[in-house]
Amino acid sequence: MLYSQVHLTLPAWVHEEARAGDRYDDDKAKVELAVTLSRLNVEHGSGGPFGAAVFDGEGRLLGIGVNRVVPQTCSVAHAEMMAFMTAQTRLQRFRLNEDGGPITLATSAQPCCMCYGASFWAGIDTLLIGARSEDVMSLTEFDEGPLPADWKGELENRGISVRRDIHREAACAVLRKFGEMGAFY
């Protein structure tokens, strides 16, 4: 039998950390949430060391995600993808900024090549990044895949503002801990 539906879930503990509509007033608070999600995902053993969150123009939380690739046996269950899907389900639209309101994606680490590509079509206006891709690859065994040499410029050419190195040390600490655990997918 071919399966006709896909069911992805976030771990139950996420409900204790964030609620839809909670406000995060600045870039640091938004990335801090993403880093906290990544840390807790490692501590709970519920997935890889990545967290992400989507916010509206008022700083209200629309959706969150943590890496769930192994627990869900799904290669696309990255934190950013899960955050896009939870926000899209909440808003009932695939292009999050369709109504003209600015949308922000905060990530604990720079998006891999898949999540980078999805960012174009998910409809975000701002990307906030904790750790850099070189941090991910040097502190863990993850391969972030091929990105354009001017990945930041490509996003900005599409109207997506990029700010990085926000809580970079805290994000790197999570990656370092995961790498030292010897866990790998």
Side-chain angles (χ1 to χ4, degrees):
M1 175 173 93
L2 293 175
Y3 287 97
S4 60
Q5 55 176 264
V6 175
H7 183 77
L8 298 174
T9 61
L10 293 172
W13 59 260
V14 300
H15 300 289
E16 298 168 16
E17 298 307 317
R19 286 172 292 291
D22 285 354
R23 282 187 67 131
Y24 295 79
D25 292 326
D26 60 25
D27 292 355
K28 288 184 177 186
K30 292 170 183 154
V31 175
E32 182 177 24
L33 174 61
V35 172
T36 297
L37 292 170
S38 71
R39 179 181 53 76
L40 290 171
N41 208 36
V42 171
E43 289 175 2
H44 286 280
S46 48
F50 304 99
V54 175
F55 303 89
D56 70 11
E58 302 298 316
R60 288 184 298 255
L61 183 62
L62 298 174
I64 60 173
V66 293
N67 179 284
R68 298 285 287 158
V69 170
V70 171
Q72 300 282 260
T73 59
C74 181
S75 62
V76 300
H78 288 201
E80 297 91 339
M81 302 297 276
M82 298 294 284
F84 290 149
M85 288 185 276
T86 57
Q88 289 163 338
T89 299
R90 178 179 167 83
L91 296 179
Q92 289 296 290
R93 57 180 182 250
F94 66 90
R95 188 139 182 91
L96 295 168
N97 61 0
E98 186 177 81
D99 72 350
I103 300 293
T104 297
L105 171 66
T107 65
S108 63
Q110 181 179 326
C112 70
C113 62
M114 175 180 63
C115 298
Y116 168 82
S119 296
F120 297 147
W121 296 289
I124 64 167
D125 302 287
T126 303
L127 172 60
L128 307 175
I129 301 170
R132 295 180 177 208
S133 64
E134 56 262 33
D135 299 329
V136 173
M137 292 188 291
S138 70
L139 296 170
T140 70
E141 294 185 29
F142 287 102
D143 179 352
E144 296 300 273
L147 288 169
D150 185 21
W151 63 269
K152 186 177 178 213
E154 290 292 333
L155 288 171
E156 290 172 344
N157 285 341
R158 288 171 168 80
I160 301 171
S161 170
V162 178
R163 294 190 283 285
R164 62 186 191 161
D165 298 338
I166 304 166
H167 291 299
R168 183 178 181 190
E169 287 306 313
C172 285
V174 174
L175 295 168
R176 188 175 297 108
K177 178 179 179 178
F178 185 83
E180 291 169 355
M181 290 169 52
F184 185 69
Y185 296 154

